[in-house]
Amino acid sequence: MGGMNDTRATAPQVLLRDVTEARRRGDLATARKHLETARGLLPDDPGPQFLVLEAGLLLDAGQTDQAARAFRKILKTHPNNQAALLALIRLARQQGDAETARRHLKTVLALDPEGTNIAVQVLHADVLLDAGQTDQAIAVLEALGEARPDTPLSLQKLVQIARQRGDLPAALGYSKALLARGPQAASLNFQLHHARLLLDMQDTDAALAHLADLQDRHGPDAQITLQQIQGYTMTGQRDRAEDCLADALAAQPLDAQLLRHLYNFYVRAGAVDVVTRVTGLLLPRLPADLADELETKVFLKTMQSGAALQRLRRVRC
């Protein structure tokens, strides 16, 4: 009998973990089902973990006002509940309520005197940025990076801030510091941002070398291909850009959004001749609606003659 009671006592915790996993997957129906089951196994006061998950599900469902009330109710009985405080700070920021965000931030910072909690300190930096206190935000993130070298988030945020300020050398320094921690520290998306940063700084050789290394490690990838094409075009290597595109088209389909980016890049670069030739490569590989769109854009942007447009159309057939 005692064994049965022990099993029953642990069941709610298992269910609450299941709620968290379902929320992470975006499966709100399953999350609610597990939460309701857990509620039936818990005492009248279900505890802060349950209440935070309940409020979080309201937030996930877009019921912002109800979620805010639920989080504030948690603080009445658990005034130092970090999850509720962080949620209310985020909601206050979304609503432009700087005073409420700062009030809750003061409480939550007192719970992290050593400044090592990643979620707390990143949100601290965000609130400072909202107030225009960029230097203070940078100081918070740099301190977090020193205190928690195991997380890439502080350096990622520092790269973002430096780019927004137009300080590309500083952004590159932070980016290199993160990459120096090894490939496992930086996602493919961040690695692509690093290449984009190098391209923006006109260091195309370094960018292309970085992208080639990425391709060796990750295999064919549309985003890598796009940046390679841009790098080759920026250095006047248009034949290599076209070869790169042709190889990519042979190896994988490129999605519509990337193709639009590619087209717009060539137009901005003033590469009218490349636009025409690349369009010829792309059209046979595109869905009809996207092909029609691209065809029309090429005609309007490059002012091709009707005969040239007919040639493009024959390529599609």
Side-chain angles (χ1 to χ4, degrees):
M1 191 72 157
M4 287 178 64
N5 288 336
D6 290 343
T7 302
R8 184 179 176 83
T10 62
Q13 295 303 317
V14 173
L15 285 165
L16 293 181
R17 285 197 296 271
D18 290 341
V19 172
T20 301
E21 287 301 315
R23 288 183 66 203
R24 189 173 292 121
R25 297 193 307 270
D27 186 354
L28 301 189
T30 297
R32 281 191 290 266
K33 179 181 176 182
H34 288 317
L35 194 70
E36 289 170 6
T37 304
R39 185 67 188 92
L41 300 174
L42 289 166
D44 291 341
D45 178 2
Q49 183 184 7
F50 175 91
L51 295 173
V52 165
L53 286 171
E54 186 177 48
L57 275 172
L58 290 170
L59 197 57
D60 294 342
Q63 297 172 271
T64 306
D65 292 340
Q66 297 94 316
R69 285 196 293 271
F71 283 123
R72 286 195 294 268
K73 186 176 179 181
I74 292 169
L75 293 183
K76 289 181 180 179
T77 52
H78 303 87
N80 291 335
N81 185 276
Q82 186 185 95
L85 287 164
L86 292 177
L88 286 169
I89 293 169
R90 294 187 185 102
L91 285 169
R93 289 184 65 227
Q94 289 172 11
Q95 295 164 356
D97 187 352
E99 183 180 350
T100 297
R102 285 194 297 269
R103 185 177 76 251
H104 289 312
L105 180 66
K106 183 178 179 180
T107 303
V108 84
L109 286 175
L111 302 174
D112 183 34
E114 296 182 0
T116 57
N117 185 294
I118 297 166
V120 169
Q121 296 304 323
V122 168
L123 200 50
H124 182 192
D126 285 335
V127 172
L128 289 169
L129 288 170
D130 292 342
Q133 298 174 282
T134 307
D135 291 338
Q136 295 92 321
I138 289 172
V140 167
L141 291 168
E142 287 180 340
L144 177 62
E146 292 177 7
R148 294 292 304 271
D150 56 313
T151 176
L153 191 55
S154 57
L155 283 169
Q156 290 172 353
K157 292 279 291 184
L158 286 165
V159 172
Q160 180 184 353
I161 293 168
R163 291 210 66 160
Q164 289 172 347
R165 297 179 92 180
D167 189 350
L168 297 187
L172 185 61
Y174 291 130
S175 189
K176 286 181 175 178
L178 179 54
L179 294 181
R181 296 182 179 179
Q184 71 284 353
S187 65
L188 175 58
N189 190 49
F190 184 85
Q191 300 262 8
L192 288 165
H193 279 300
H194 182 76
R196 180 71 260 170
L197 182 57
L198 290 167
L199 288 174
D200 289 345
M201 295 184 71
Q202 307 298 312
D203 192 352
T204 49
D205 289 343
L208 288 168
H210 181 70
L211 289 165
D213 179 62
L214 277 184
Q215 196 164 55
D216 287 343
R217 287 190 279 120
H218 292 275
D221 181 271
Q223 292 280 1
I224 296 173
T225 297
L226 176 62
Q227 292 202 20
Q228 284 176 317
I229 290 168
Q230 292 175 350
Y232 287 133
T233 304
M234 288 171 67
T235 54
Q237 303 177 70
R238 292 182 177 177
D239 289 342
R240 292 200 67 179
E242 291 182 53
D243 290 343
C244 184
L245 176 59
D247 290 345
L249 289 172
Q252 61 177 333
L254 297 181
D255 66 49
Q257 184 181 5
L258 286 171
L259 292 172
R260 289 189 180 95
H261 284 319
L262 178 61
Y263 163 77
N264 289 330
F265 169 77
Y266 278 129
V267 170
R268 285 195 303 272
V272 174
D273 58 327
V274 179
V275 170
T276 306
R277 293 200 301 276
V278 167
T279 303
L281 285 172
L282 294 178
L283 289 179
R285 303 294 299 273
L286 301 181
D289 57 342
L290 183 57
D292 289 339
E293 174 192 335
L294 188 58
E295 199 174 65
T296 302
K297 281 185 174 181
V298 169
F299 178 70
L300 293 174
K301 292 288 186 180
T302 65
M303 298 304 290
Q304 293 181 61
S305 67
L309 189 58
Q310 287 300 320
R311 283 197 298 274
L312 282 175
R313 285 179 172 158
R314 280 199 296 274
V315 170
R316 288 176 58 187
C317 300

